[in-house]
Amino acid sequence: MNREAVPPPSSSAADGSEGRQRQQQQPPEAPETYEDTHVHAVYEAIAPHFSATRHKPWPLVASFLLSRSPGSVGLDVGCGNGKYLPVNPSVHLLGSDRSASLVRLARAERSGEVIVADGLALPYRPSAVDFAICIAVVHHLSTRTRRQDAIAALLRCLRPGPDARALVYVWALEQGASRRGWDEGSEQDTLVPWVMRSKGAPQATYQRYYHLYRKGELEEDVRAAGGTVLESGYEKDNWWVICSR
């Protein structure tokens, strides 16, 4: 298995930013090292290109943010380029991301506080915020224990009680109607190519690790992390959960 700082560009062509080429991924021996190679280093390499494709808020996430009470304080863990930070100007939303390059882009493009932070070791005071979102992040952790630990870290930041809520989104295994073509019989742990085309430079493909969640699995992970599932559903190839402590 390649352990270079950034996975080498692939010579395979793909259709768009996220191609159809996929590889079955065996469980890593060292999850942190594996994620450094196939998640963190990739996002550092593709950050400007990735950010250029991420501007429109997802409707359910926007609805969740707009429903928060004026003056509420919340977290966007794994905020990327910060596209959700300005959705509801009446709340105070703090952003964090593991990628320093994406954090720099978020600071340049958005107003608000954005810091570099690991979702497994969040630097926020426990029981302090009114809400949190974590969109398309947990599925990049390569073991179930680490995915559950990330959800637990998010929940610890919430005030106790059902009115303090977190919204979590992950990619679904059940994507039979999408161009990716995954379904219930597909491998759940996979490498997904990001194809980067830059003017004057050769095409480069970087492999990102994903755990594709089967139906009901996200709810199981929330409960295992000590949370209470309040709502859940499926939207555009993603499973989502709204939960509390």
Side-chain angles (χ1 to χ4, degrees), residues 1 3 25-35 141-143 189 209:
M1 184 177 296
R3 295 295 185 185
Q25 182 51 50
Q26 300 299 320
E29 295 181 4
E32 298 88 347
T33 302
Y34 183 80
E35 291 160 18
L141 293 162
S142 57
T143 70
D189 297 289
Y209 168 81

Side-chain angles (χ1 to χ4, degrees), residues 138-149 151-152 155 168-175 183-190 209-229 231-234 237-243:
V138 174
H139 55 215
H140 285 311
L141 293 162
S142 57
T143 70
R144 191 163 199 186
T145 296
R146 288 169 68 77
R147 293 189 288 272
Q148 292 173 355
D149 286 348
I151 295 170
L155 291 170
V168 180
Y169 261 75
V170 293
W171 272 17
L173 176 65
E174 299 84 354
Q175 295 190 30
D183 57 29
E184 290 85 349
S186 301
E187 293 292 333
Q188 285 186 264
D189 297 289
T190 188
Y209 168 81
Y210 281 81
H211 175 79
L212 305 175
Y213 268 76
R214 58 174 170 77
K215 183 178 181 180
E217 186 178 359
L218 181 56
E219 290 91 332
E220 293 170 3
D221 281 356
V222 167
R223 295 186 184 104
T228 298
V229 176
E231 300 177 51
S232 62
Y234 181 92
D237 305 328
N238 294 271
W239 292 112
W240 60 266
V241 160
I242 295 175
C243 54

Side-chain angles (χ1 to χ4, degrees), residues 103-221:
V103 166
R104 283 193 294 271
L105 288 167
R107 288 171 176 169
E109 297 176 12
R110 320 286 178 187
S111 61
E113 180 181 335
V114 187
I115 62 172
V116 177
D118 190 326
L120 290 170
L122 294 172
Y124 305 108
R125 183 161 53 91
S127 306
V129 302
D130 303 299
F131 68 93
I133 61 173
C134 187
I135 311 302
V137 174
V138 174
H139 55 215
H140 285 311
L141 293 162
S142 57
T143 70
R144 191 163 199 186
T145 296
R146 288 169 68 77
R147 293 189 288 272
Q148 292 173 355
D149 286 348
I151 295 170
L154 191 71
L155 291 170
R156 279 195 296 272
C157 296
L158 293 178
R159 293 186 293 101
D163 59 327
R165 302 181 173 193
L167 171 63
V168 180
Y169 261 75
V170 293
W171 272 17
L173 176 65
E174 299 84 354
Q175 295 190 30
S178 81
R179 63 183 171 82
R180 301 184 186 101
W182 292 312
D183 57 29
E184 290 85 349
S186 301
E187 293 292 333
Q188 285 186 264
D189 297 289
T190 188
L191 293 175
V192 179
W194 180 274
V195 180
M196 190 161 60
R197 300 179 179 91
S198 302
K199 187 175 181 180
Q203 175 178 297
T205 300
Y206 299 96
Q207 302 290 348
R208 296 173 297 162
Y209 168 81
Y210 281 81
H211 175 79
L212 305 175
Y213 268 76
R214 58 174 170 77
K215 183 178 181 180
E217 186 178 359
L218 181 56
E219 290 91 332
E220 293 170 3
D221 281 356

Side-chain angles (χ1 to χ4, degrees), residues 10-167:
S10 166
S11 60
S12 301
D15 179 16
S17 296
E18 293 167 3
R20 295 176 183 273
Q21 177 193 358
R22 294 181 294 276
Q23 303 174 23
Q24 178 178 347
Q25 182 51 50
Q26 300 299 320
E29 295 181 4
E32 298 88 347
T33 302
Y34 183 80
E35 291 160 18
D36 281 345
T37 300
H38 287 291
V39 181
H40 307 314
V42 174
Y43 279 104
E44 285 298 297
I46 71 172
H49 189 242
F50 176 82
S51 179
T53 70
R54 298 298 189 273
H55 290 293
K56 187 176 181 181
W58 294 356
L60 195 146
V61 182
S63 177
F64 176 84
L65 291 172
L66 290 169
S67 69
R68 301 304 96 191
S69 300
S72 297
V73 177
L75 305 176
D76 183 352
V77 174
C79 68
N81 67 356
K83 71 178 182 181
Y84 290 111
L85 298 181
V87 167
N88 185 350
S90 71
V91 303
H92 189 54
L93 185 57
L94 308 173
S96 67
D97 201 280
R98 177 66 168 70
S99 168
S101 293
L102 285 172
V103 166
R104 283 193 294 271
L105 288 167
R107 288 171 176 169
E109 297 176 12
R110 320 286 178 187
S111 61
E113 180 181 335
V114 187
I115 62 172
V116 177
D118 190 326
L120 290 170
L122 294 172
Y124 305 108
R125 183 161 53 91
S127 306
V129 302
D130 303 299
F131 68 93
I133 61 173
C134 187
I135 311 302
V137 174
V138 174
H139 55 215
H140 285 311
L141 293 162
S142 57
T143 70
R144 191 163 199 186
T145 296
R146 288 169 68 77
R147 293 189 288 272
Q148 292 173 355
D149 286 348
I151 295 170
L154 191 71
L155 291 170
R156 279 195 296 272
C157 296
L158 293 178
R159 293 186 293 101
D163 59 327
R165 302 181 173 193
L167 171 63

